[in-house]
Amino acid sequence: MLNIALPKGRLGEKVHDLLASVGYAGGDLSDMGRRLVIENESAGVRYFLVKPSDVAIYVEHGAANIGIVGKDILEEDRPDVYELLDLKLGRCRMCVAGPRDFTDDGSKVLRVASKFTNIASRYYTSIGREVDIIKLNGSIELAPLLGLSDVIVDIVESGNTLRENDLAVLEEIMPISARLIANKVSYQFQSQEICTLRDRLSEVIA
Ligand code: PRP
């Protein structure tokens, strides 16, 4: 049995559809109620529905053999797992955003609000800019509106949240998409099952 950690929500459903299309259907995800585990013995898979930011934790500790997680979380947390495949789903961008007319004249320490404090910190270190990073957990776009920060580092997908709050992308840091990851020990001992799944996915994506 392969234990697979899936991110709850829309991305998880899309990924499950993709896995189902190559023979790994778990069942009807839209009819789960409050259940968090779904199993298909004949397909040899058991899915765990977990918070997106927890997928890599389950995989790193071996509670799940493989998982699907956004590149944003892999870059932020740098878990000790193997990244096997870019699923090309859930595409978005990690960006610096702020008021449309904002220009950084470098005269004072830049205040940056983000959920992704490690990504933000590494980005500003790479360009040699001194920053104060303010950790938030959601609704990041509020920070520059209320003067809590000058800019934000956040995910931009459609751009609607920025537009509706009179903000704009100032810099693009990196493209993001969902990745298939594996526990390092599982990859050694269940390599055949894991590689078969990865290769089937890779074929349909191509
Ligand atoms: C994410 C992100 C942005 C928004 C971007 O927030 O933090 O706020 O989506 O998407 P868009 O470009 O399509 O508008 P999420 O919905 O995860 O909620 P949060 O504010 O609680 O982080």
Side-chain angles (χ1 to χ4, degrees):
M1 208 66 161
L2 265 185
N3 290 317
I4 307 178
L6 269 189
K8 270 195 213 174
R10 212 157 42 94
L11 177 63
E13 283 176 25
K14 276 195 206 163
V15 171
H16 178 262
D17 288 348
L18 181 68
L19 283 157
S21 75
V22 292
Y24 296 92
D28 187 358
L29 248 57
S30 62
D31 190 26
M32 288 283 285
R34 298 293 295 166
R35 273 186 311 141
L36 300 171
V37 181
I38 188 166
E39 186 172 306
N40 180 345
E41 215 171 312
S42 57
V45 286
R46 185 184 293 123
Y47 289 100
F48 306 136
L49 297 180
V50 309
K51 215 176 145 171
S53 54
D54 288 344
V55 166
I57 300 172
Y58 283 86
V59 174
E60 182 173 11
H61 292 271
N65 305 120
I66 59 174
I68 285 84
V69 62
K71 184 70 176 170
D72 50 334
I73 290 156
L74 292 180
E75 283 292 323
E76 178 64 18
D77 297 341
R78 300 221 161 151
D80 190 20
V81 296
Y82 291 132
E83 185 182 323
L84 302 182
L85 186 66
D86 180 351
L87 298 179
K88 314 225 159 122
L89 290 172
R91 289 195 213 228
C92 51
R93 303 175 289 156
M94 184 66 66
C95 295
V96 177
R100 288 174 211 287
D101 56 358
F102 179 81
T103 47
D104 180 9
D105 62 11
S107 63
K108 56 183 172 54
V109 176
L110 188 70
R111 295 169 308 149
V112 182
S114 188
K115 261 193 279 202
F116 302 95
T117 55
N118 295 327
I119 293 175
S121 166
R122 281 201 300 272
Y123 170 69
Y124 283 105
T125 300
S126 77
I127 60 168
R129 180 71 172 99
E130 198 187 347
V131 290
D132 260 346
I133 298 196
I134 301 154
K135 161 92 179 165
L136 291 177
N137 298 299
S139 303
I140 316 295
E141 292 81 0
L142 268 178
L145 300 181
L146 301 181
L148 177 63
S149 73
D150 301 307
V151 296
I152 61 173
V153 166
D154 200 14
I155 280 172
V156 179
E157 192 176 355
S158 64
N160 287 340
T161 313
L162 291 181
R163 266 191 300 278
E164 289 181 21
N165 291 289
D166 285 324
L167 300 170
V169 171
L170 304 173
E171 300 286 342
E172 189 170 320
I173 299 178
M174 67 181 83
I176 304 290
S177 55
R179 307 296 159 105
L180 176 67
I181 57 169
N183 172 269
K184 289 191 166 177
V185 176
S186 303
Y187 189 71
Q188 227 181 323
F189 291 101
Q190 284 174 272
S191 67
Q192 203 187 331
E193 294 99 306
I194 294 175
C195 291
T196 302
L197 179 145
R198 180 202 55 200
D199 293 346
R200 287 190 192 169
L201 284 175
S202 171
E203 273 170 34
V204 287
I205 292 163

